């Protein structure tokens, strides 16, 4: 894997969160939004100097990213941004579909007040999504897309559902950024979200599950053309 020199913007730390957590979020965002290419390398010392912090919070952040498969951490040699794993993508799709569809099924147990409150949040989210059609802002839309699916997870009333899902979907997120506007037009994704929302409003939970399965596994088709155009981003022998 060819190595590329790291180029990072500055990070302003908040006193309300741990340093390691903020470094983790910052680096994860740089990787998943495809600002750091596979092969980009850096060391704990380089990052410590860049962030002006000790090596300990940097090490903790790097180990979390390594656990998620976004970094390859090599003792005494530094860390390298990994390539996208297609076999990993298949596993992510299974986990994501299981958790989100399971959350929809749990929605059957919600009282009307809680259910309607979540529906209201869905409606506001979709309104903001539609605004992206005019602005053509990929980053804003993908954040709203995450919010939409986090709302689906919230139907379970189990906060860990989205936390677990977010921690495993790094490879998927990179493909989302590589595909947006081409293989995955924003208008199409919004239309699918609206269809899911309408079925949810009608409490047709079985239909919501079917729509979600199609929606979430669609990336297993779109990644093929993305991989053909961006082969350097993917593992070579990975099916």
């Amino acid at each position: 894997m060819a190595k590329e020199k790291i180029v990072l913007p500055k990070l302003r730390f908040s006193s309300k969160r741990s340093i390691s957590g903020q470094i983790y979020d910052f680096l994860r965002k740089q990787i998943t939004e495809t600002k750091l290419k596979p092969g980009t390398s850096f060391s704990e010392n380089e990052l410590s100097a860049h962030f002006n912090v000790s090596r300990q919070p940097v090490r903790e952040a790097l180990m979390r990213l390594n656990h998620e498969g976004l970094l390859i951490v090599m003792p005494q040699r530094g860390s390298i941004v990994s390539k996208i794993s297609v076999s990993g993508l298949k596993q992510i799709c299974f986990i994501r579909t299981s958790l989100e569809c399971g959350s929809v099924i749990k929605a059957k147990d919600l009282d009307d007040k809680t259910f309607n409150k979540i529906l209201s949040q869905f409606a506001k989210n979709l309104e903001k999504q539609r605004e992206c059609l005019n602005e053509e802002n990929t980053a804003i839309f993908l954040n709203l897309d995450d919010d939409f699916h986090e709302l689906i997870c919230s139907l379970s009333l189990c906060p860990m559902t989205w936390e677990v899902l977010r921690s495993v979907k790094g490879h998927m997120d990179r493909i989302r950024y590589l595909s947006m506007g081409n293989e995955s037009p924003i208008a199409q994704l919004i239309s699918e979200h609206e269809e899911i929302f309408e079925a949810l409003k009608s409490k047709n939970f079985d239909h919501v599950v079917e729509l979600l399965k199609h929606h979430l596994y669609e990336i297993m088709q779109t990644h093929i053309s993305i991989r053909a155009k961006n082969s350097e981003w993917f593992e070579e022998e990975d099916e």
Side-chain angles (χ1 to χ4, degrees), residues 32 52 81 88 94 114 120 123 168 185 187 207 219 222 235 237 239:
T32 58
N52 193 27
V81 177
F94 173 78
T114 301
S120 177
V168 301
H207 187 44
I219 198 168
T222 59
E235 296 286 354
E237 297 179 2
E239 297 295 342

Side-chain angles (χ1 to χ4, degrees), residues 1-7 36-44 46-47 71-72 74 77-81:
M1 185 183 294
K3 294 185 179 181
E4 294 199 12
K5 184 176 177 60
I6 186 171
V7 178
L36 292 179
K37 298 180 179 180
T40 302
S41 65
F42 40 82
S43 68
E44 286 182 14
E46 288 175 321
L47 291 177
L71 282 183
I72 300 170
M74 301 176 292
R77 295 177 58 191
S79 301
I80 298 177
V81 177

Side-chain angles (χ1 to χ4, degrees), residues 69-196:
L70 295 175
L71 282 183
I72 300 170
V73 176
M74 301 176 292
Q76 311 304 320
R77 295 177 58 191
S79 301
I80 298 177
V81 177
S82 69
K83 291 190 174 185
I84 297 171
S85 166
V86 175
S87 62
L89 181 64
K90 294 176 182 177
Q91 296 179 64
I92 295 166
C93 283
F94 173 78
I95 293 170
R96 186 172 190 182
T97 302
S98 299
L99 291 176
E100 293 197 28
C101 289
S103 296
V104 170
I105 298 303
K106 284 289 291 181
K108 297 178 180 180
D109 301 328
L110 295 177
D111 60 77
D112 288 342
K113 182 179 179 180
T114 301
F115 184 70
N116 289 331
K117 181 179 179 180
I118 297 175
L119 285 182
S120 177
Q121 293 174 314
F122 271 112
K124 292 176 181 177
N125 173 273
L126 284 168
E127 184 177 349
K128 292 178 180 178
Q129 286 188 40
R130 295 184 198 102
E131 293 174 0
C132 291
L133 286 172
N134 298 324
E135 299 176 2
E136 296 184 354
N137 192 315
T138 299
I140 290 177
F141 173 76
L142 288 176
N143 286 333
L144 290 168
D145 180 52
D146 270 348
D147 292 343
F148 181 87
H149 288 280
E150 184 175 3
L151 283 171
I152 289 174
C153 290
S154 75
L155 293 167
S156 68
L157 295 185
C158 176
M160 284 184 64
T161 305
W162 177 251
E163 292 175 15
V164 170
L165 185 51
R166 183 181 182 275
S167 73
V168 301
K169 69 185 188 74
H171 290 307
M172 178 180 287
D173 287 338
R174 287 198 281 180
I175 294 175
R176 290 163 68 213
Y177 270 87
L178 290 172
S179 67
M180 193 52 54
N182 299 303
E183 284 76 5
S184 300
I186 290 176
Q188 176 187 329
L189 295 174
I190 293 175
S191 178
E192 292 178 9
H193 288 168
E194 289 176 331
E195 191 174 5
I196 290 169

Side-chain angles (χ1 to χ4, degrees), residues 48-67:
S48 295
H50 177 79
F51 296 122
N52 193 27
V53 298
S54 69
R55 292 174 58 184
Q56 182 60 33
V58 170
R59 184 180 300 116
E60 291 173 2
L62 295 181
M63 293 310 297
R64 286 182 68 182
L65 293 167
N66 173 254
H67 180 71

Side-chain angles (χ1 to χ4, degrees), residues 188-235:
Q188 176 187 329
L189 295 174
I190 293 175
S191 178
E192 292 178 9
H193 288 168
E194 289 176 331
E195 191 174 5
I196 290 169
F197 175 59
E198 290 301 319
L200 190 60
K201 279 202 303 184
S202 301
K203 294 189 176 183
N204 190 344
F205 300 113
D206 290 340
H207 187 44
V208 175
V209 166
E210 291 306 312
L211 291 172
L212 265 179
K213 287 180 180 178
H214 172 78
H215 181 67
L216 296 175
Y217 266 97
E218 200 167 18
I219 198 168
M220 292 310 304
Q221 292 299 317
T222 59
H223 92 273
I224 297 173
S225 56
I226 293 298
R227 185 179 185 182
K229 296 175 183 176
N230 304 274
S231 59
E232 71 277 11
W233 284 78
F234 291 79
E235 296 286 354

